[in-house]
Amino acid sequence: MNRNHYNFDLNGLLKKVFFVDLIQGLFITFHYTFSKTITMKYPDEETWIPYKRFRGLHTLNKNKEGKELCVGCELCQKSCPTQCITVVPMQDTTGKGIADRVAYRWEINLLRCMFCGLCEDACPTEALKLGREYELAGTSMQRHLLTKEELLAPQAVPAEFEGGVIVKARLGTDETGIKVVPDMSVQKRWW
Amino acid sequence: MEDVMSIASNSGDDIITKEVTLNMGPQHPSTHGVMHLILRMQGEKIVKAEPDIGYLHRGMEKIAENLLYSQFVPYTDRLDYLSSMTNNLSYVMAVEKLIGLEIPERAKYIRVIVSELSRISSHLLAVGAWGLDLGAVTLVLYAFREREMILDLFEMLCGARLTYNYMKIGGMRGDLPPGFKEKCRDFIQIFPKRVDEYEQLLTGNRIWLQRNKGVGVISAEDAVDLGLTGPSLRGSGVKWDIRKDTPYLVYDRFDFKVPAGGNGDCFDRYMVRIEEMRQANKIIAQALEQIPDGPVNADAPEFVSPPRKDITTNMEVLIHHFKLISHGFKAPKGEVYSSIEAPKGELGFYIVSDGSEMPFRVKIRAPSFVNLQSVDPMSRGAYFADVVAVISSLDPVFGEVDK
């Protein structure tokens, strides 16, 4: 095993004596001392708004008239590889038939979900979308079993917003825990 | 005991002491993930290094047997979680070969672009973590900055930063979003300069050279015998690259070189990775130039879901979509092996089909798993500190080793 890789020529020897290799490296780190910072002050001052296609927390959507788009077809449940979605369609108790079929129960177990987006692909009415909420940590398991009502709530970031920007944010606390509240008025791109 | 004597006597004045067994990992910070090495040591020298694997075993191959062909794609993300795109690619290519499906040109180009971006991001992490392991902490900060750019591109493309699930059988989950090409071009312009910076930091650095040159040497014959693939094999001077030797997708249309080392030591494997990043960058640039317009999903209704606009307007198409999602498709009876050049080496999927909607058996030929067996021949007789360099130079990812 030959660890002696330097040839003893004068140039190499001088380079070795004057630490040229190390100084070259230090020059780069020195150069970056004066360059613009790329890190983000998350969560105290800034937060990241993901791109449009981001696969975060599920959202159930409504149409323009405010009607639920989900028709309770159970296709998302069937497409899910981890079987974390439970859909129970509305039962006809009147005997006259239902004009607008909706889901009676729509539940998701986020502890099992791997955010693959196959349910989103399966949904025929574009009711189910994976949204941009990504701060999903919680202290109790119960908080990760979400129902239809929670998923139908409007999103913090509008669906049309392009995303991929760093925005100003404020770190707030409420009874459910810590929440980062984005302020969309100040936006910047990091590269 | 003979090999112990010979190792000790080779180094001259070493005193033979009692052999010590040292457990390195699974929580050691300089082993990758949950790597556990059982080292038998004679003083500071390694007599035998035995990897103990299985801490991250999730039964991937068995899971595949209980899922539809299309449902297993997100699980492949969790194999080599540092370059999920190539895992997706290898699996969907195997299934497409099984069912005899040809994908559109545009999808092929997108697949090349994302897998080469994946290769860069994987090598960045490999080289960065390598620097971190050997005490050159600066590099990982710079490498992660560029990796962050790629993850940003991937987030734009498929909505995830780690587990992409971007490919599906017969195409892609979505076309390139508007603005992606420009952003990707920005990246490939910036990137070569950044690689030069890494080289300036490390390649000439005397500490880096002393920690890597002549360490973990493996000859070309031994490397082939052990089944090494990827940069670990090319570091020993064997120019075997599946992209070049049995081209898949559209790799035969690009002009790129396959770098190879000569000595088979850690430094050669480092240089191969650095050069591969440059070549991958070149491939992306060419692919972005040549990429044609057109659909990204194959027009094969029996395997691929119809386009979304048809689902919402046509009743028959909707029924077909329901059928395909809930029951999957039946693959013909037979078996197929398909492999690609993943960043770590040859990643292959061997699928046996019994004619039903689910695979009968899936065998994953994971490069990290095969490469890991060379830890012992590489580090035998070396110092304990060299084992760290050897592991980093092999770049094992334990999602893939343990499956």
Side-chain angles (χ1 to χ4, degrees):
Chain A
M1 207 179 286
N2 179 24
R3 278 162 180 271
N4 194 1
H5 46 82
Y6 286 112
N7 301 321
F8 281 97
D9 58 325
L10 188 65
N11 198 10
L13 190 69
L14 282 174
K15 274 186 177 169
K16 202 178 174 188
V17 168
F18 291 107
F19 293 97
V20 173
D21 50 339
L22 297 183
I23 289 166
Q24 268 183 350
L26 281 171
F27 178 75
I28 288 179
T29 46
F30 181 73
H31 161 75
Y32 275 116
T33 320
F34 302 105
S35 69
K36 213 178 92 194
T37 174
I38 56 151
T39 44
M40 171 170 58
K41 289 172 188 142
Y42 174 82
D44 291 301
E45 289 175 33
E46 287 167 328
T47 188
W48 170 252
I49 303 293
Y51 286 97
K52 229 176 189 172
R53 289 186 182 173
F54 190 73
R55 304 202 304 263
L57 180 66
H58 302 66
T59 56
L60 286 172
N61 296 316
K62 295 177 180 174
N63 65 3
K64 283 187 191 113
E65 288 88 51
K67 252 186 199 156
E68 283 172 40
L69 281 167
C70 177
V71 292
C73 70
E74 302 173 56
L75 207 56
C76 43
Q77 184 186 335
K78 281 193 179 120
S79 74
C80 182
T82 60
Q83 289 144 29
C84 66
I85 303 174
T86 313
V87 188
V88 178
M90 185 171 264
Q91 296 297 313
D92 179 16
T93 48
T94 58
K96 286 180 252 168
I98 314 165
D100 295 317
R101 199 172 105 130
V102 289
Y104 169 63
R105 268 173 65 202
W106 202 101
E107 288 170 9
I108 181 154
N109 182 354
L110 289 179
L111 299 165
R112 289 186 71 93
C113 179
M114 56 178 177
F115 299 95
C116 62
L118 291 186
C119 48
E120 191 184 33
D121 290 356
C123 185
T125 58
E126 299 187 20
L128 179 61
K129 277 258 157 36
L130 269 67
R132 289 192 238 200
E133 183 65 49
Y134 57 88
E135 286 149 348
L136 300 174
T139 46
S140 75
M141 282 182 141
Q142 203 56 45
R143 277 198 59 205
H144 292 98
L145 308 174
L146 298 185
T147 55
K148 198 170 106 175
E149 285 67 39
E150 286 152 300
L151 299 172
L152 275 167
Q155 299 168 56
V157 183
E160 308 80 53
F161 186 64
E162 204 50 59
V165 287
I166 296 169
V167 298
K168 234 171 101 101
R170 184 171 54 77
L171 186 66
T173 46
D174 59 8
E175 67 280 356
T176 56
I178 299 166
K179 266 267 171 292
V180 181
V181 188
D183 170 16
M184 310 286 278
S185 56
V186 187
Q187 301 173 0
K188 68 169 187 194
R189 293 191 180 272
W190 72 275
W191 67 285
Chain B
M1 207 55 199
E2 203 178 303
D3 53 342
V4 183
M5 298 289 281
S6 64
I7 286 164
S9 58
N10 277 349
S11 51
D13 53 357
D14 276 9
I15 306 159
I16 294 189
T17 52
K18 201 179 160 208
E19 195 180 285
V20 178
T21 305
L22 187 76
N23 284 287
M24 189 177 174
Q27 282 93 23
H28 195 277
S30 69
T31 58
H32 291 217
V34 286
M35 178 159 191
H36 180 194
L37 270 182
I38 302 165
L39 301 170
R40 279 169 51 202
M41 298 177 69
Q42 181 73 34
E44 260 300 274
K45 298 239 162 124
I46 309 293
V47 177
K48 193 170 168 43
E50 196 184 325
D52 181 16
I53 62 168
Y55 290 93
L56 208 63
H57 180 63
R58 292 148 297 172
M60 284 286 182
E61 294 174 356
K62 193 71 195 168
I63 289 172
E65 293 170 20
N66 298 302
L67 290 173
L68 302 177
Y69 282 101
S70 56
Q71 282 181 328
F72 187 62
V73 182
Y75 283 89
T76 59
D77 288 336
R78 275 101 183 145
L79 281 170
D80 173 5
Y81 39 76
L82 301 177
S83 65
S84 306
M85 286 292 187
T86 47
N87 303 342
N88 284 179
L89 176 64
S90 184
Y91 176 69
V92 296
M93 268 178 58
V95 177
E96 280 159 9
K97 195 173 168 186
L98 179 69
I99 59 182
L101 189 62
E102 186 66 23
I103 62 163
E105 283 283 288
R106 189 176 171 82
K108 284 182 185 171
Y109 274 93
I110 296 176
R111 283 180 180 189
V112 166
I113 291 169
V114 294
S115 56
E116 290 309 309
L117 279 172
S118 239
R119 191 181 314 279
I120 293 176
S121 82
S122 172
H123 283 347
L124 278 174
L125 197 129
V127 174
W130 191 343
L132 195 66
D133 289 348
L134 299 187
V137 186
T138 328
L139 189 77
V140 76
L141 301 172
Y142 296 153
F144 261 65
R145 176 188 52 190
E146 273 72 73
R147 193 176 144 82
E148 187 66 31
M149 285 172 157
I150 296 176
L151 296 190
D152 197 80
L153 285 171
F154 281 158
E155 187 188 317
M156 192 177 183
L157 204 57
C158 59
R161 288 163 51 85
L162 191 72
T163 51
Y164 308 121
N165 185 24
Y166 184 44
M167 296 177 198
K168 67 177 186 187
I169 293 154
M172 318 298 290
R173 282 188 66 235
D175 201 351
L176 297 180
F180 176 83
K181 266 190 179 177
E182 290 72 31
K183 244 184 150 172
C184 199
R185 281 208 184 95
D186 280 356
F187 173 76
I188 55 174
Q189 272 204 335
I190 297 168
F191 189 64
K193 282 177 233 150
R194 300 282 166 88
V195 182
D196 293 344
E197 279 180 10
Y198 310 150
E199 284 223 78
Q200 207 176 332
L201 274 170
L202 286 187
T203 308
N205 187 306
R206 66 186 71 186
I207 308 165
W208 185 255
L209 288 169
Q210 282 183 349
R211 290 297 302 274
N212 285 305
K213 275 227 168 174
V215 172
V217 180
I218 192 149
S219 67
E221 295 79 46
D222 285 353
V224 173
D225 288 350
L226 283 163
L228 278 179
T229 42
S232 313
L233 174 70
R234 290 192 284 274
S236 298
V238 184
K239 278 204 176 189
W240 170 254
D241 189 318
I242 301 173
R243 291 176 296 169
K244 211 54 163 188
D245 296 314
T246 53
Y248 53 94
L249 295 177
V250 285
Y251 275 110
D252 47 350
R253 296 181 202 171
F254 303 125
D255 166 38
F256 66 102
K257 286 192 190 74
V258 178
N263 305 323
D265 57 2
C266 289
F267 187 73
D268 278 353
R269 291 192 277 276
Y270 159 77
M271 284 313 287
V272 165
R273 285 208 170 83
I274 291 279
E275 190 52 38
E276 255 182 37
M277 285 198 272
R278 290 212 178 92
Q279 296 300 331
N281 201 61
K282 255 168 97 180
I283 295 175
I284 299 166
Q286 292 171 50
L288 281 173
E289 283 302 315
Q290 297 176 16
I291 186 166
D293 288 332
V296 290
N297 282 315
D299 185 19
E302 61 268 49
F303 304 120
V304 187
S305 258
R308 188 153 280 281
K309 65 173 194 323
D310 291 355
I311 294 174
T312 46
T313 50
N314 189 326
M315 188 66 197
E316 280 71 36
V317 172
L318 180 66
I319 293 168
H320 183 71
H321 177 71
F322 264 72
K323 177 96 176 58
L324 199 59
I325 295 285
S326 49
H327 296 291
F329 53 81
K330 281 195 164 73
K333 250 185 200 175
E335 51 192 86
V336 71
Y337 177 77
S338 159
S339 67
I340 62 153
E341 184 74 26
K344 316 275 188 303
E346 177 183 347
L347 174 64
F349 276 81
Y350 174 68
I351 301 176
V352 182
S353 161
D354 58 354
S356 70
E357 297 91 349
M358 295 172 192
F360 178 74
R361 174 84 170 90
V362 172
K363 167 82 182 84
I364 303 162
R365 192 257 184 230
S368 296
F369 174 71
V370 182
N371 289 358
L372 194 65
Q373 65 182 334
S374 62
V375 169
D376 183 45
M378 278 182 188
S379 55
R380 201 174 278 198
Y383 286 104
F384 174 70
D386 294 340
V387 178
V388 178
V390 165
I391 296 167
S392 297
S393 76
L394 286 173
D395 187 25
V397 173
F398 272 71
E400 198 175 54
V401 176
D402 297 338
K403 287 181 273 200

